[in-house]
Amino acid sequence: MAGKKKKEFEELRIGVFICDCGSNIAGHLDCKAVTEYAATLPGVVFAKENLYTCSEAGILEIQEAIKKHKLNRVVVASCSPRTHQPLFQNSCKSAGLNPYLFEMVNIRDQCSWVHMQDRENATRKAMDLVRMAVARAAFLEPQQDIESPLTPRVGVIGGGSAGLSAAEGLSRMGLEVVLVEKNKELGGLLRNLHKVAPEGVDASERLEGLIQDVSSRPNVKIFTGAELKSLDGYVGNYVMNIRDGEGQTVKESVGCLVIAIGAIPLVQKGLFGHDGKRVITQMELEPILKKGKFDAKRVVMIQCAGARGDERSYCSRICCMIAVKNAMFIKKLSPDTEIRILYRDMQMYGTEKEKMLWEARGEGIRFEVYDPAHPPEVGDKAVRLRQPLLGREIEFAYDLVVLSTPLVAREDASELSQLLRVPMDQNGFFLEAHAKLRPLDFAADGIFLAGSCRYPATYDEARSQGLGAAARVGTILFKDKLVTSAIVAEINPETCVGCMGCLQMCPYGAISYDQERKICQVNEILCKGCGCCAATCPSESASLRGFKPQQLMSQIRAVMEG
Amino acid sequence: MAKEFNPKIIAFACNWCAYSAADLAGVSRLQYPPNIRIVRVMCSGRVNPGFILKAFELGADGVLVAG
């Protein structure tokens, strides 16, 4: 309370800094006039025009002014707070001013650059914007960043190539790992594979090396035949409830999670006459090759079987490479075997796979294009194909038809998606936070993804994604504590009547109802600071720090004062 | 000749989309009339009807909620 009282009597001492941004702002509006105007605003004790406020000299001027003029609010009128607010806030902080007493207004992107031919009105608008910022600054309150402890352990869900690689990377970085695999054995799809393209290394050699490495590490705890049943907590402090191999529930505390549950190769009985004997899938061919039981002399492979159609519109992306890899191995095994690959488009991306395709052609593997409107027909003895270029039908007798079917999302992925509250796409694959900027992150803080549960991935891709996700985890867990912005919601327990209106509005599940006190309360780590609760609360008990009614109202009033 | 109508428009812009769109308009040097005054909010969900009504009451000619 002492702090609050002091604040009430504190005299406002606002410093305003107007940035020329070279000629970016000063070239299109009168910065000198705006600075002179700012000096006349209530509470402003210092106003200064800078050539570049964000330069070392500009920052120094702010810091010196804070000390010399005892500023208790700083306003910078320059570019976007989205890019420069952190810099200025840190400068204020190091000069001893609480960074939440800083306010920024954009007179470049939202003024000088968009009203280039109207100097007079641009100048007037800049004055209005500065007046709004100064009015708001008067109502700002000091805040403390929210700090919470971090558990330096990581949960990895899925023990295939991606999950094992993530576990290896994390363990090597010195973080404890809890690896949860649903099957009795580690290894995922790699366990079925014969060779790994493009180098043609034995899959089992790769896999055994990886499993041995991970399971021999003292800081990796492995649960097989186990499942993640529920997840409590938030970034830095999650608690996984695992059902272990014996059916017991085990609690494990972790700071972050990596989701790498993989995908499943489609096996659809009847698809192109699939019977599991003479018409099989690539994934069924792999163990035959592995056991050395392959003896067909005439092989026809059909690409995009069950993919890129009405039911599944996506391209599984790795099946072309798998077909070429297996065809080349068969050629090596018995060079007189006839192999035809019937395709729509060959997806052999990257230099190594492109090279594989050329080598395959050189080895006599035949590639025949087909039109999806006239797909190949698999008969008892022969595959009938309509050649789109010549428009004629031809037949290839076969001993074995191999279908290149797509990887499809696991059925239990949707369960996990609800449990973690992370999104999936229309095909049941998980969706990352941003395809280009955050490809290994979920939008939910502290949860990452790798491998085929995002999109069909080769072994190499799953491995690099697993290692990448491990590095992403490091960016969170290698800090001493979790520091998050104080701009989150708060609920006044004195006035809250527990109507739970806010609870239903919160998109992040950050509000809970306290049965004992019969009021709602905010989890500050889960809160993302949207303020939906504040807009809903009928008694204004819920408020968003930095965006309280009087802080917004002061800006609205300031617009109209001009 | 009638006096030119110069409306005052208040825009409540979401920090993550509409506000950054206004930044993008600037970076792209898109030119538009200087009648708009942006109030940054962290989400358009923060804007309750009270703010909009207050803006009109104080004399705004238009209110834009963008998010």
Side-chain angles (χ1 to χ4, degrees):
Chain A
M1 283 316 269
K4 264 198 175 164
K5 231 175 201 153
K6 193 181 155 206
K7 199 184 69 191
E8 272 174 16
F9 299 113
E10 189 187 40
E11 180 203 1
L12 265 183
R13 299 187 65 82
I14 305 177
V16 183
F17 298 83
I18 311 288
C19 179
D20 292 347
C21 196
S23 63
N24 282 303
I25 297 172
H28 308 286
L29 56 85
D30 189 346
C31 284
K32 187 163 173 278
V34 176
T35 312
E36 283 166 3
Y37 173 75
T40 67
L41 291 167
V44 175
V45 296
F46 183 76
K48 180 87 180 34
E49 181 182 349
N50 310 111
L51 184 57
Y52 288 102
T53 311
C54 65
S55 68
E56 215 168 298
I59 298 285
L60 208 64
E61 265 189 290
I62 295 178
Q63 292 178 326
E64 278 170 3
I66 289 174
K67 286 169 191 156
K68 192 170 164 201
H69 301 279
K70 299 192 169 49
L71 301 180
N72 51 23
R73 302 285 189 283
V74 168
V75 173
V76 169
S78 59
C79 51
S80 180
R82 290 175 51 85
T83 55
H84 281 65
Q85 182 149 319
L87 170 78
F88 292 126
Q89 279 190 317
N90 283 333
S91 312
C92 290
K93 194 178 169 187
S94 49
L97 182 71
N98 185 292
Y100 291 93
L101 297 176
F102 169 81
E103 175 63 15
M104 192 167 173
V105 56
N106 192 341
I107 59 165
R108 188 186 71 180
D109 311 51
Q110 296 177 12
C111 194
S112 72
W113 276 353
V114 288
H115 313 306
M116 289 174 132
Q117 311 305 325
D118 195 351
R119 192 174 178 87
E120 196 192 321
N121 279 316
T123 305
R124 195 166 301 146
K125 178 173 171 181
M127 288 174 175
D128 283 2
L129 292 173
V130 169
R131 186 175 65 247
M132 288 164 70
V134 167
R136 177 177 149 79
F139 288 99
L140 290 178
E141 298 164 327
Q143 313 280 359
Q144 294 305 319
D145 282 339
I146 298 158
E147 295 182 353
S148 52
L150 289 165
T151 310
R153 302 178 88 218
V154 189
V156 176
I157 312 300
S161 324
L164 284 168
S165 300
E168 185 204 335
L170 290 162
S171 159
R172 279 180 193 273
M173 295 194 293
L175 290 166
E176 269 183 55
V177 177
V178 180
L179 179 61
V180 182
E181 166 58 46
K182 206 167 203 174
N183 287 330
K184 294 254 177 305
E185 290 176 310
L186 296 172
L189 276 188
L190 197 56
R191 189 163 281 285
N192 290 342
L193 295 195
H194 174 229
K195 298 272 182 189
V196 177
E199 308 92 326
V201 186
D202 277 347
S204 50
E205 195 178 297
R206 275 279 155 82
L207 184 62
E208 290 317 320
L210 194 53
I211 291 178
Q212 216 162 42
D213 180 277
V214 171
S215 45
S216 65
R217 294 180 166 271
N219 58 355
V220 180
K221 191 169 175 181
I222 300 173
F223 290 92
T224 52
E227 218 179 320
L228 178 68
K229 295 309 281 183
S230 65
L231 184 72
D232 300 319
Y234 42 83
V235 56
N237 299 280
Y238 284 112
V239 178
M240 305 197 293
N241 295 301
I242 302 165
R243 202 201 53 212
D244 73 4
E246 269 93 56
Q248 303 294 316
T249 303
V250 185
K251 280 189 189 299
E252 292 286 349
S253 299
V254 293
C256 290
L257 281 103
V258 176
I259 308 302
I261 62 166
I264 302 212
L266 177 75
V267 179
Q268 191 179 321
K269 216 166 184 274
L271 179 72
F272 288 99
H274 179 273
D275 59 3
K277 295 180 189 105
R278 291 184 70 225
V279 183
I280 63 174
T281 67
Q282 294 286 357
M283 211 50 83
E284 290 168 323
L285 172 66
E286 297 268 355
I288 297 175
L289 295 173
K290 199 172 179 176
K291 288 177 200 148
K293 294 212 166 140
F294 183 84
D295 58 1
K297 285 290 166 204
R298 293 165 302 174
V299 180
V300 178
M301 295 185 176
I302 302 175
Q303 301 305 108
C304 305
R308 301 174 69 205
D310 292 336
E311 199 182 338
R312 264 169 240 95
S313 58
Y314 65 94
C315 161
S316 179
R317 184 170 167 273
I318 61 172
C319 350
C320 284
M321 180 274 294
I322 294 171
V324 172
K325 173 197 74 168
N326 285 341
M328 286 172 81
F329 180 75
I330 293 168
K331 268 285 181 200
K332 205 166 158 192
L333 199 71
S334 71
D336 60 342
T337 301
E338 267 180 37
I339 307 177
R340 286 193 163 79
I341 297 181
L342 314 188
Y343 71 98
R344 282 169 58 180
D345 308 278
M346 288 305 288
Q347 172 81 289
M348 298 292 281
Y349 53 93
T351 48
E352 285 170 324
K353 295 189 193 76
E354 176 80 17
K355 195 166 152 254
M356 266 174 78
L357 181 62
W358 285 106
E359 281 172 15
R361 287 180 197 278
E363 285 168 16
I365 295 162
R366 299 284 298 272
F367 291 82
E368 300 273 357
V369 71
Y370 75 86
D371 177 352
H374 302 277
E377 288 166 27
V378 180
D380 279 347
K381 295 196 172 85
V383 177
R384 181 188 283 270
L385 172 76
R386 187 171 177 276
Q387 282 187 316
L389 287 177
L390 299 174
R392 64 171 190 190
E393 300 224 334
I394 45 171
E395 282 194 348
F396 308 115
Y398 70 86
D399 303 320
L400 186 69
V401 170
V402 185
L403 305 177
S404 297
T405 56
L407 285 186
V408 295
R410 295 179 62 99
E411 271 182 16
D412 50 9
S414 62
E415 233 169 88
L416 194 60
S417 135
Q418 282 171 8
L419 194 150
L420 303 169
R421 289 199 286 172
V422 296
M424 296 194 310
D425 68 13
Q426 70 271 30
N427 299 311
F429 291 107
F430 289 129
L431 263 181
E432 70 282 69
H434 189 291
K436 294 188 176 73
L437 301 178
R438 293 171 64 196
L440 300 172
D441 302 15
F442 275 117
D445 289 334
I447 309 183
F448 301 89
L449 79 171
S452 293
C453 61
R454 165 64 194 97
Y455 206 81
T458 63
Y459 165 76
D460 286 356
E461 288 161 355
R463 177 154 177 79
S464 16
Q465 288 172 23
L467 293 173
R472 294 293 297 145
V473 168
T475 63
I476 294 178
L477 294 187
F478 283 126
K479 289 176 181 148
D480 299 334
K481 57 199 170 209
L482 187 71
V483 179
T484 45
S485 165
I487 303 303
V488 293
E490 57 188 23
I491 295 176
N492 183 349
E494 304 294 322
T495 55
C496 174
V497 296
C499 75
M500 290 194 259
C502 56
L503 196 144
Q504 288 154 30
M505 288 309 295
C506 180
Y508 304 101
I511 299 178
S512 58
Y513 182 69
D514 183 336
Q515 293 287 356
E516 248 170 56
R517 298 164 73 199
K518 306 222 182 308
I519 54 169
C520 291
Q521 50 194 17
V522 180
N523 179 321
E524 294 188 333
I525 310 290
L526 287 177
C527 177
K528 295 276 170 285
C530 67
C532 290
C533 54
T536 311
C537 183
S539 62
E540 287 190 2
S541 302
S543 61
L544 176 62
R545 290 186 197 139
F547 294 86
K548 291 186 175 171
Q550 58 184 12
Q551 292 164 334
L552 290 172
M553 216 55 107
S554 65
Q555 279 184 288
I556 299 169
R557 281 211 178 82
V559 177
M560 297 309 157
E561 282 163 7
Chain B
M1 214 168 85
K3 205 184 151 199
E4 200 188 333
F5 178 48
N6 235 338
K8 272 192 176 171
I9 301 167
I10 293 193
F12 295 96
C14 161
N15 179 62
W16 310 104
C17 57
Y19 191 90
S20 58
D23 283 352
L24 180 64
V27 174
S28 316
R29 309 295 196 275
L30 298 176
Q31 303 298 303
Y32 57 84
N35 303 63
I36 199 158
R37 304 288 179 268
I38 292 180
V39 175
R40 184 171 69 104
V41 286
M42 295 311 278
C43 171
S44 51
R46 172 65 193 98
V47 182
N48 55 1
F51 294 134
I52 300 168
L53 295 176
K54 194 73 193 173
F56 282 127
E57 189 191 322
L58 291 170
D61 297 296
V63 176
L64 173 69
V65 180

